């Protein structure tokens, strides 16, 4: 199981991820941005931006991702922009810090 931390995603900035559409079909996306990590006494927050192809727009929701080093994992993504170079999707992390 992948470790979905700010540190782990930062290591894989500008690398390719596959988003599964079905057992036999996937699209390639690139992790284009990892926001700064915001910490408070109780929570950590950061976001990710992925760029996918323009010919297939994914709906908002949970999607199965794969990465050569991180392995398989699921993320809730939201399409936020359609640009000439692709469709951008955002995943937001806002979680409590374990004490």
């Amino acid at each position: 199981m992948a470790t979905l931390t700010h540190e782990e995603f930062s290591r894989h900035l500008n690398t390719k991820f596959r988003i599964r559409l079905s057992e036999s079909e996937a699209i390639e996306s690139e992790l284009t941005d990892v926001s700064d990590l915001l910490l408070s006494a109780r929570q950590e927050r950061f976001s990710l931006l992925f760029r996918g192809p323009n010919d297939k727009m994914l709906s908002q929701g949970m999607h199965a991702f794969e990465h050569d080093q991180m392995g398989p994992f699921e993320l809730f993504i939201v399409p936020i922009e359609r640009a000439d170079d692709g469709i951008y999707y955002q995943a937001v992390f806002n979680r409590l810090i374990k004490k």
Side-chain angles (χ1 to χ4, degrees):
M1 182 92 181
T3 304
L4 305 181
T5 63
H6 182 268
E7 181 181 357
E8 185 67 19
F9 281 111
S10 294
R11 277 195 283 257
H12 301 295
L13 182 62
N14 301 316
T15 65
K16 303 294 184 189
F17 290 74
R18 290 170 304 285
I19 305 173
R20 282 263 154 231
L21 305 177
S22 68
E23 284 282 324
S24 60
E25 186 181 9
I27 63 168
E28 188 174 85
S29 66
E30 181 178 352
L31 178 59
T32 62
D33 185 67
V34 178
S35 73
D36 291 338
L37 177 62
L38 301 173
L39 294 171
S40 68
R42 298 187 324 199
Q43 65 191 58
E44 63 180 3
R45 297 171 302 201
F46 67 95
S47 66
L48 309 173
L49 282 183
F50 293 92
R51 181 181 60 233
N54 253 329
D55 62 343
K56 180 74 173 172
M57 184 171 194
L58 302 177
S59 63
Q60 171 178 305
M62 292 297 289
H63 292 275
F65 280 70
E66 297 172 354
H67 186 267
D68 290 340
Q69 277 110 35
M70 291 179 69
F73 58 92
E74 290 193 351
L75 284 180
F76 188 95
I77 58 172
V78 176
I80 61 166
E81 180 183 4
R82 176 174 255 154
D84 290 340
D85 63 344
I87 299 173
Y88 287 81
Y89 301 91
Q90 183 178 44
V92 176
F93 290 78
N94 185 0
R95 57 186 165 210
L96 295 175
I97 294 174
K98 295 178 183 175
K99 293 187 178 192

